[in-house]
């Protein structure tokens, strides 16, 4: 874990069109507070591009990978997250977004408040406990009720899996432990597993649990 920090720059050295790009590598995560008071947790192999100083009319950031946000409420300045052909509009809320380039879909999971998801030609409003999954190719959106902790526990240092396919579980572990997983049996990818474990443990401990 990289740490918990408040990132800042001198006010007279930044403008509304100045952007910072924060890239978090494998085996790490990072959290900090933006200039408007919004708290951000960034998972491994993820990127956030954000303005050093927000514009006068709105707040917009660009994300790739997995990020959890607690957005500082400001009705006069709506908050937007742009990712992988999808836009998330927020007033003040807590939610998780997952949009890794190598995955076939993006997910937005709402913990508190409300968000609206925009995909080409359509939009959906989320309430707490709901998730929207957007197909990266077609833009098709599917909404479902979920157990939020299964999608947000990573920011608290835990892996929580609820009947997830082994292929998806191993993809998550690959990013955190910087490993590569090869399935010799294609059928094994579809095995569903549940579990709850510390995120910062040794990989051998994870393998024992999976076995």
């Amino acid at each position: 874990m990289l740490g918990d920090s408040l990132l800042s720059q001198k006010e007279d050295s930044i403008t509304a069109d100045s952007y910072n790009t924060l890239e978090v590598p494998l085996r790490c995560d990072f959290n900090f507070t933006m200039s408007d008071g919004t708290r951000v947790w960034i998972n491994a192999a993820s990127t956030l591009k954000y303005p050093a100083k927000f514009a006068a009319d709105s707040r917009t950031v660009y994300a790739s990978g997995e990020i959890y946000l607690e957005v500082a409420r400001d009705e006069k300045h709506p908050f937007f997250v742009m990712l992988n052909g999808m836009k998330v509009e927020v007033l003040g809320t807590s939610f998780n977004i997952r949009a890794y380039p190598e995955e076939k879909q993006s997910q937005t999971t709402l913990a508190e408040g409300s968000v609206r998801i925009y995909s080409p030609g359509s939009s959906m409003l989320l309430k707490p406990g709901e998730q929207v999954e957007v197909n990266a190719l077609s833009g098709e959106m599917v909404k479902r009720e979920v157990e939020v902790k299964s999608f947000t526990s990573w920011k608290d240092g835990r892996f929580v899996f609820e009947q997830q396919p082994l292929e998806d579980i191993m993809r998550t572990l690959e990013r955190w432990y910087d490993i590569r997983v090869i399935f010799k049996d294609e059928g094994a990818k579809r095995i569903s597993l549940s579990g709850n474990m510390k995120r910062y443990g040794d990989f051998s401990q994870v393998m024992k649990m999976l076995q």
Side-chain angles (χ1 to χ4, degrees), residues 11 21-22 61 67-68 155 167 171 179 181 192 194 205:
E11 190 69 23
T21 298
L22 180 58
V61 300
I67 297 173
Y68 184 91
K155 77 179 184 68
E167 181 179 22
R171 188 180 296 120
I179 59 173
V181 177
S192 294
S194 298
Q205 294 176 317

Side-chain angles (χ1 to χ4, degrees), residues 33-49:
T33 302
M34 289 193 288
S35 61
D36 68 331
T38 293
R39 295 196 66 191
V40 185
W41 288 258
I42 307 178
N43 207 348
S46 301
T47 301
L48 180 69
K49 181 180 178 182

Side-chain angles (χ1 to χ4, degrees), residues 28-29 76-77 87 105 114 127 156 184 190 196 198:
C28 296
D29 60 14
K76 294 182 180 180
H77 303 88
K87 179 170 75 172
Q105 63 280 322
S114 64
K127 61 183 181 181
D156 300 314
K184 293 184 178 180
R190 296 185 292 273
N196 186 328
K198 289 184 178 180

